[in-house]
Amino acid sequence: MFVLGKSGSGMRRKTGNIARTMITSIRNRHDRPAAHTPHHRSEESMVVASYNVHKCVGTDGRFDPERVMEVIREMDPDVIALQEADERFGERSGLLDLPRLRLELGLTHIPVLHKPKSHGWRGNVLLFKEGAVKDVHQVALPGLEPRGAVVAEIDLHRGLGLRVIAAHLGLLRWARRQQADVIVDIMTEREEKPTVLMGDFNEWRLGEGSSLMRFEKVFGPLPPPVPSYPARLPVLALDRIMANRSGLVANVVVHDSPLAREASDHLPITARIDISKAVLG
């Protein structure tokens, strides 16, 4: 979640840029589809998604995990990263019905070590359909808020493998820069392999003032932004999917459906993965 007005002097200096972004999105609001068109699937591709579920509280203020699960059903992803999928305080209990997600949608939860009732690590939950998870790491990201990342190595099939990093960056600009640096360090310190990074990065800025620029060291030029927040009239591209190999990620789009506009304050985003570029080794 991104809160307007919480970025201090940086927000004030960039008011013109964010105003232009908002005006453009408002002008284009009539072009929003009535329903999302699914990605074209083949044996050589898979669909990944990132979705900040806002603790299952919708834009109408109602807590309704069922709506969130239906939006996930609409997307039908092979791998999905969820943010804010646990309660933030107390026992940090998971908010979704994981057995139902597996039974009805074929999505298996990647477990992490946290509080007994938690489903994820600092609200980050990863689920996948096929393959085998051989390695999982949870990373505490620096900052004043409890932010984190989950790193999973997934063996797919036919000698294909993928590293997935699911992250939720902070509201403070200086913290996002440090958090991005930690993720880049993860990439540079580990064996090079096809990697998809996705999550809510809370960064609307583009260009030199953006913390996203730090990712270009290992992920190359960033895909075009797709506005995903706020859900009822998205003007800010806070949610991102990117990869460290050219052509691995294609067609990053926002999943804009009537139900998605109600289920959370963020719209989910999806992308097609060319798994032929995910060769192990």
Side-chain angles (χ1 to χ4, degrees):
M1 180 179 68
F2 178 91
V3 181
L4 291 177
K6 283 199 174 182
S7 293
S9 61
M11 174 64 77
R12 289 192 292 271
R13 287 194 299 270
K14 296 293 184 178
T15 299
N17 289 344
I18 195 170
R20 285 195 294 272
T21 300
M22 288 181 172
I23 290 170
T24 300
S25 294
I26 291 170
R27 286 175 176 170
N28 294 336
R29 67 188 184 279
H30 297 300
D31 296 332
R32 296 176 69 185
H36 178 71
T37 302
H39 287 280
H40 173 72
R41 294 176 184 265
S42 70
E43 292 184 357
E44 297 300 322
S45 68
M46 59 189 293
V47 173
V48 299
S50 178
Y51 190 14
N52 184 327
V53 302
H54 192 47
K55 303 177 187 64
C56 298
V57 177
T59 52
D60 56 2
R62 184 159 57 92
F63 173 74
D64 191 347
E66 185 70 26
R67 289 189 298 196
V68 170
M69 292 180 63
E70 287 303 311
V71 173
I72 296 173
R73 187 190 304 274
E74 288 178 351
M75 292 185 286
D76 189 26
D78 297 289
V79 179
I80 183 168
L82 303 177
Q83 302 88 46
E84 298 191 25
D86 293 339
E87 293 178 349
R88 184 168 185 178
F89 301 108
E91 295 182 299
R92 298 189 178 181
S93 300
L95 299 172
L96 295 173
D97 189 336
L98 296 182
R100 273 192 63 195
L101 283 171
R102 182 168 186 172
L103 178 65
E104 297 180 10
L105 305 183
L107 289 167
T108 299
H109 168 236
I110 296 178
V112 296
L113 297 175
H114 201 27
K115 292 182 178 290
K117 294 185 178 181
S118 298
H119 292 162
W121 167 239
R122 297 188 170 183
N124 292 284
V125 172
L126 263 175
L127 303 105
F128 73 110
K129 277 188 178 178
E130 298 182 359
V133 177
K134 67 175 186 179
D135 196 12
V136 181
H137 290 272
Q138 52 207 61
V139 180
L141 297 177
L144 299 179
E145 307 161 272
R147 301 294 187 177
V150 176
V151 184
E153 314 278 350
I154 305 175
D155 286 352
L156 302 172
H157 57 87
R158 291 176 294 165
L160 304 176
L162 191 67
R163 176 186 292 135
V164 179
I165 304 177
H168 189 187
L169 304 191
L171 296 174
L172 300 175
R173 189 175 181 183
W174 65 264
R176 288 195 298 273
R177 290 173 174 170
Q178 293 184 14
Q179 292 159 359
D181 288 342
V182 169
I183 293 172
V184 169
D185 288 344
I186 291 171
M187 292 291 295
T188 55
E189 292 169 0
R190 289 170 176 257
E191 174 190 4
E192 197 281 333
K193 65 172 50 180
T195 301
V196 174
L197 169 64
M198 52 185 173
D200 174 6
F201 294 162
N202 270 314
E203 179 63 271
W204 63 269
R205 297 171 182 81
L206 301 175
E208 294 300 323
S210 172
S211 59
L212 299 176
M213 295 296 292
R214 295 170 182 257
F215 291 122
E216 291 195 345
K217 178 180 178 181
V218 291
F219 290 97
L222 302 176
V226 290
S228 56
Y229 179 87
R232 286 183 172 173
L233 185 59
V235 295
L236 301 177
L238 303 186
D239 304 279
R240 293 281 181 156
I241 298 175
M242 62 187 77
N244 68 333
R245 292 191 180 183
S246 176
L248 180 61
V249 167
N251 196 28
V252 179
V253 296
V254 65
H255 179 85
D256 190 354
S257 72
L259 186 59
R261 297 174 198 176
E262 294 182 351
S264 171
D265 63 344
H266 283 245
L267 293 174
I269 62 171
T270 64
R272 189 178 70 252
I273 299 293
D274 181 354
I275 59 177
S276 68
K277 299 186 182 298
V279 180
L280 285 171

